[in-house]
Amino acid sequence: MLTCGGGGSTRANGRRGRWFLGLMAWATGRAFSEGTALGKMAATLGPSGWWQRWRRRLSAPNGSRMLLLLLLLGSGQGPRQVGAGQTFEYLKREHSLSKPYQGVGTGSSSLWNLMGNAMVMTQYIRLTPDMQSKQGALWNRVPCFLRDWELQVHFKIHGQGKKNLHGDGLAIWYTKDRMQPGPVFGNMDKFVGLGVFVDTYPNEEKQQEAQKRRYSPGVQRVFPYISAMVNNGSLSYDHERDGRPTELGGCTAIVRNLHYDTFLVIRYVKRHLTIMMDIDGKHEWRDCIEVPGVRLPRGYYFGTSSITGDLSDNHDVISLKLFELTVERTPEEEKLHRDVFLPSVDNMKLPEVTAPLPPLSGLALFLIVFFSLVFSVFAIVIGIILYNKWQEQSRKRFY
């Protein structure tokens, strides 16, 4: 099911955090000393109409407990409730990345690995520069075994190219294999897992124009375009048609050369895949893709990649933040949501993958050759015996 446009949940976490920070600083400053620098800052940040009764509470015998409560509220390290119902999220640092990018490298202790032309800068990680024929990727080294999760991607796509003279876009991955370069936005084709594509160049539209044909209004897509694909290793991404034959859904996303932050969120809860974006500078999530019945195995890897061809762009990743979502399930849902071993989508038939036969070991090969020789010798001996008996019977008939 595809939904474009619409509203979204307001991203008010920053405003809530600043409010708690001001409250914490004010309470701390009033509790210790108004003459200190902290007290002066707190007096500036604190509300002016109701500080009298909070001062009396802090100076009471249980004021230390009240102060501790304010400190805990302002710390922002605990679980945070999201959406309706009993859903809480926890930041998973082993699957997250943010400035100053200390966990990025090639060593065994690094949580994230770079590939290709990707580079670490002070304010972002550049997957590809605004140059032709470049590709780069960033992959998490730790497999994710979370059941329900949410990935928030802060990215930026910009360059010197004018309208329809830029490309090609970037992809966010949750796949079985990692660090495998290829033609699909810098990653391998026939991948196993989930791919979310931010495609900035309309290949199909340009081919239609070259053939003097036009889209019908019902199928035309406006680029840049976000789409999603689930693959069990049997499907190829169709570049000529911008992935249209295998996409689960998509929406237009004008994300190039913007002067404000752009975000993408991928949420996977109870086998329900939801993709939203915040690209208008309004701090609001806007719906893009919603697909029920998506079955993704656990133990896959998160990553992001990009590629340029004859056209190019800067493809930057500022942060990747993965949250574990704790969701209540009924006993019936527990039975339905058992682990799977191959990605699939309900009501969508994916071609079956025939697993290749494992190579024979040296011992197995030796035994096969040995018994083949023994059988051949045995067959030859039996043949000779039967031939001799046939000749004897022929001579007896002759005499």
Side-chain angles (χ1 to χ4, degrees), residues 282-293:
K282 298 180 180 179
H283 302 288
E284 293 180 354
W285 291 121
R286 186 152 57 91
D287 296 334
C288 179
I289 303 171
E290 188 174 356
V291 185

Side-chain angles (χ1 to χ4, degrees), residues 3 267 393:
T3 56
R267 182 178 297 168
Q393 291 177 357

Side-chain angles (χ1 to χ4, degrees), residues 60-111:
N62 62 348
S64 60
R65 283 178 290 179
M66 179 66 71
L67 177 61
L68 178 61
L69 176 62
L70 291 176
L71 291 173
L72 290 175
L73 288 174
S75 63
Q77 299 297 321
R80 183 167 62 89
Q81 188 170 6
V82 293
Q86 298 298 320
T87 304
F88 293 86
E89 65 179 25
Y90 302 82
L91 178 66
K92 307 301 290 184
R93 299 188 183 278
E94 65 272 23
H95 302 296
S96 300
L97 176 70
S98 59
K99 292 181 285 189
Y101 311 119
Q102 294 179 348
V104 180
T106 57
S108 58
S109 60
S110 302
L111 294 177

Side-chain angles (χ1 to χ4, degrees), residues 4-21:
C4 295
S9 57
T10 304
R11 301 178 61 248
N13 301 326
R15 294 191 296 272
R16 188 183 300 113
R18 289 193 295 271
W19 187 87
F20 275 124
L21 181 62

